[in-house]
Amino acid sequence: MGMVLGVVDRLCCSPINMNLHRLLRNKWAGALTLAALWFFAAGCATPGRVATTPPTGEPIHPGAVWPDDRGQHLQAHGGGILKVGRTYYWFGEDRSTGLDPARRYVSCYSSSDLAHWTFRNQVVKLTDPENLGRRWVLERPKVFYNSKTRQYVLYAHIDGNGYRFASVAVLVCEQVDGDYRYLRSFRPLGHESRDIGQFIDDDGSAYLIFEDRPYGFRIAKLSPDYLGVEKEMCLIPKHMEGGAVVHYHGLYYAIGSALTGWKPNPNQYATAPSLSGPWSAFKDIAPPESNTYGSQSTMMLKVVGTQATTVIFMGDIWKPQNQRDSRYLWMPLEIGNGKLWLPEPKPWTLDLKTGVARTIPSP
Ligand code: GAL
């Protein structure tokens, strides 16, 4: 380990240096950091550039620094993905340094292979629209496309410093990566709403998942124009956030994390034959002692290929002391027959055409 630390200290990449010693105290974080180092060192080998443009099939490295086309670590925390045509758009909290402290930012990236991301725009650069105070928050943005109104509709958790406003913000835009306009905030169906999640079913219907602190978490259908929430599908009476749902081979799988703020905890899942339930008991998605390998769920992304359907777990590895350096844990899930399991994070590749995901064997 001492040798590894020595090598790390000589590396050119300061964000890793700053956090390395702390990270390596923890087993899982240590493993993820080594993956990050490998990846980052490869980037640093090309003078003046962190990101290269590798060929399709380039691995995704869970927990690593993930540079965009500009060589900057992706700022899409607590994010979500929308597929438009063949292009994936990743939206998330932009927590870069040097931003205007009065504003909250959402960035948008595009990709055709889920591994290489091109920065498109800071689609939200909003000043406090509801007089929530200096430390107001705009978190977990999710974008839906409404084909009837031809509008992109962005939902986010909007709150004050004490998280008592507990509402959603709705913003719209005619272009997927344009500048979104703030419309309003509200409590879905009159309920408290903190962490939100997004689910689009195979028939295209769109749902908001939201954490309702007194009761549990709810899944509710959006109104026809997506600007409101019109019908509750279920209340799962379990106190969970970071909620995500996937429909896989006739069964709905819901995952979420416990309420431990930025600290990771064992995320769990339940299944149901329909969104309105009945939902099974919750079970761990990973060895509980790993605390979901240091991450918290934000979405499950289903990729349907010619040979396989892969469901990707998308989680955030939060770094509350240095949020811009928070990482992403993306891994293909083992899923089917009512079971869901997040394997130990390893670099992996995805063939978008066939839908086949492969982990890369350790050297
Ligand atoms: C987490 C939540 C994050 C953020 C954080 C603040 O539980 O998932 O989105 O709200 O708490 O402490």
Side-chain angles (χ1 to χ4, degrees), residues 93 139-140 157 163 195 241-242 257-262 296 318:
E93 299 158 24
E139 295 180 334
R140 297 189 173 267
H157 170 200
Y163 285 90
D195 277 12
E241 54 188 13
S257 94
L259 312 181
T260 57
W262 301 118
Q296 182 187 25
W318 297 111

Side-chain angles (χ1 to χ4, degrees), residues 64-87:
V65 168
W66 198 340
D68 66 8
D69 60 312
R70 305 165 302 175
Q72 298 176 18
H73 180 48
L74 284 161
Q75 293 297 315
H77 311 291
I81 298 237
L82 180 71
K83 193 176 178 202
V84 182
R86 289 188 178 186
T87 306

Side-chain angles (χ1 to χ4, degrees), residues 320-335:
Q321 306 308 323
N322 186 12
Q323 282 288 19
R324 77 186 168 90
D325 192 36
S326 295
R327 306 291 172 84
Y328 310 98
L329 194 162
W330 285 23
M331 269 306 281
L333 287 164
E334 292 166 15
I335 187 169

